[in-house]
Amino acid sequence: MEWSADAGWARPRIVPFHEFDIHPFNSTLHYAFEGFEGMKAYRDPNGKIRTFRPEKNAARLNETSKRICFPTFDPNEFVKCLDEFLRIEEPWVPEEPSTLYIRPTIMSLTDVLGVHPPNKTMLFVTASPSEIYFKNGLNPIKVKIETEATRAWPGGTGDVKVGANYIMGITQTKAAAKEGIDQLVWLNKDRITEAGACNLYVYWINKDNQKELVTPMLDGTLLPGITRQSILDLTKDDKRFTSCEKKVTVKELVKAHKEKRLLEMFICGTAVVIRPVGSIVYKGEEMKPQYPEGQLSLELY
């Protein structure tokens, strides 16, 4: 679906998969005028196709659009178009545990050099069958707290889903993979933010000796994940612990580990869903939660 400053949004179309011809001066190529979402379609035990809170993805894509001076759209109309797309592409939705990964994308169609808001853009959706994100299934992963590079910073674009965010840490991610690290944990100064391209949760006994499930608070440097918010929604009334979002520092995490108060840690997101963290590397030292295989995390999964 294309948009222009003169004509507004064109009528949506569902067409066969095809490649794009892009002008060499296209501003997406030169200035990263681009954003996207990640969604999944599932086939339930009865064979019915289901999506997970697609209106939330549509709303978040609109926030990304606003940040990079793109036009917004009606989220309800987007969901209607998505439903029709999935009706047509229903044979491509695999059986569990695989899914159909859906990638809504916004890009500039302005073909002039120069940094300025695009006067022509496109919103398109494509999809592909997808297996479980990590090859080791639900086995715990190993993460490393990155202390040198920064993925996002206050006042930047860490809280929207633009491609530029993901390239920031690719050098460090490649190096960590050679060390057997599955994901890097990113910091904002001393504060924990995200793990790779995922949100994260810490399940610990806090300083008041109370069990607490905590995820780093939204401070403009991390993505407001839909799986992240869903976990908060699911656990808000759980009597076994307090569920909240707040600042989490590396110092607090290390102290909780030394005092055997760090019960679990897990990452979450559309691609991974939920995955327990079995090992945390920080400045060459390895920390393991009390339940590295995951208990609460697997229950939530």
Side-chain angles (χ1 to χ4, degrees):
M1 183 167 63
E2 295 187 6
W3 173 91
S4 70
D6 294 331
W9 284 108
R11 186 179 180 84
R13 298 180 301 133
I14 298 177
V15 299
F17 185 89
H18 64 279
E19 296 181 353
F20 294 150
D21 290 326
I22 299 180
H23 193 284
F25 287 171
N26 179 276
S27 60
T28 298
L29 300 177
H30 294 272
Y31 310 113
F33 276 108
E34 177 267 354
F36 63 93
E37 274 298 320
M39 310 168 67
K40 286 180 178 178
Y42 305 80
R43 191 179 293 276
D44 71 15
N46 296 319
K48 185 176 181 179
I49 308 305
R50 298 186 180 275
T51 53
F52 182 71
R53 310 184 86 175
E55 72 285 353
K56 300 290 185 183
N57 293 93
R60 191 170 64 181
L61 188 56
N62 262 339
E63 291 303 313
T64 299
S65 297
K66 293 175 188 176
R67 183 67 63 86
I68 60 175
C69 293
F70 273 42
T72 57
F73 53 86
D74 184 334
N76 294 324
E77 291 300 313
F78 173 86
V79 173
K80 290 178 183 178
C81 291
L82 179 64
D83 287 345
E84 179 62 15
F85 174 76
L86 290 174
R87 187 189 67 78
I88 294 171
E89 303 294 345
E90 185 270 340
W92 285 99
V93 182
E95 300 287 343
E96 290 186 307
S98 298
T99 60
L100 184 71
Y101 187 81
I102 304 166
R103 174 51 62 88
T105 304
I106 51 175
M107 63 175 289
S108 170
L109 293 181
T110 300
D111 298 331
V112 178
L113 292 179
V115 184
H116 49 74
N119 57 25
K120 189 175 182 182
T121 68
M122 177 168 60
L123 163 61
F124 68 91
V125 177
T126 188
S128 174
S130 175
E131 296 181 343
I132 294 177
Y133 189 79
F134 288 110
K135 294 181 180 179
N136 62 353
L138 285 173
N139 291 330
I141 64 168
K142 185 176 185 179
V143 302
K144 177 183 177 182
I145 298 175
E146 174 60 41
T147 57
E148 296 182 6
T150 301
R151 188 198 76 92
W153 48 89
T157 57
D159 59 341
V160 294
K161 207 166 178 67
V162 294
N165 289 343
Y166 296 82
I167 201 68
M168 291 298 182
I170 196 67
T171 300
Q172 291 73 26
T173 300
K174 180 181 178 182
K178 294 180 180 179
E179 302 172 11
I181 303 297
D182 295 301
Q183 296 282 315
L184 287 176
V185 174
W186 300 106
L187 303 178
N188 172 15
K189 297 181 179 179
D190 66 332
R191 294 167 60 171
I192 291 172
T193 61
E194 293 186 331
C198 307
N199 292 120
L200 63 82
Y201 272 84
V202 175
Y203 183 40
W204 61 12
I205 298 173
N206 63 22
K207 291 179 288 187
D208 297 322
N209 203 37
Q210 301 293 320
K211 286 185 177 180
E212 185 176 65
L213 179 64
V214 57
T215 188
M217 64 185 293
L218 300 178
D219 62 357
T221 68
L222 64 152
L223 194 69
I226 295 163
T227 307
R228 171 190 179 276
Q229 183 59 50
S230 298
I231 293 170
L232 286 172
D233 295 341
L234 285 169
T235 59
K236 64 182 179 180
D237 296 323
D238 199 306
K239 304 301 182 184
R240 296 172 295 174
F241 53 82
T242 300
S243 176
C244 64
E245 47 186 329
K246 67 180 184 181
K247 179 175 71 173
V248 181
T249 67
V250 177
K251 184 178 179 180
E252 290 172 323
L253 187 71
V254 171
K255 191 171 189 294
H257 172 258
K258 287 182 177 179
E259 297 175 355
K260 301 187 184 305
R261 294 186 288 107
L262 179 58
L263 304 178
E264 288 184 55
M265 184 173 175
F266 61 88
I267 64 173
C268 63
T270 298
V272 302
V273 187
I274 293 175
R275 192 56 46 90
V277 172
S279 175
I280 308 156
V281 177
Y282 176 59
K283 293 185 175 180
E285 300 293 327
E286 188 171 12
M287 301 182 289
K288 289 184 178 291
Q290 295 298 301
Y291 307 111
E293 301 292 328
Q295 289 187 356
L296 178 62
S297 55
L298 297 182
E299 178 186 329
L300 291 170
Y301 179 88

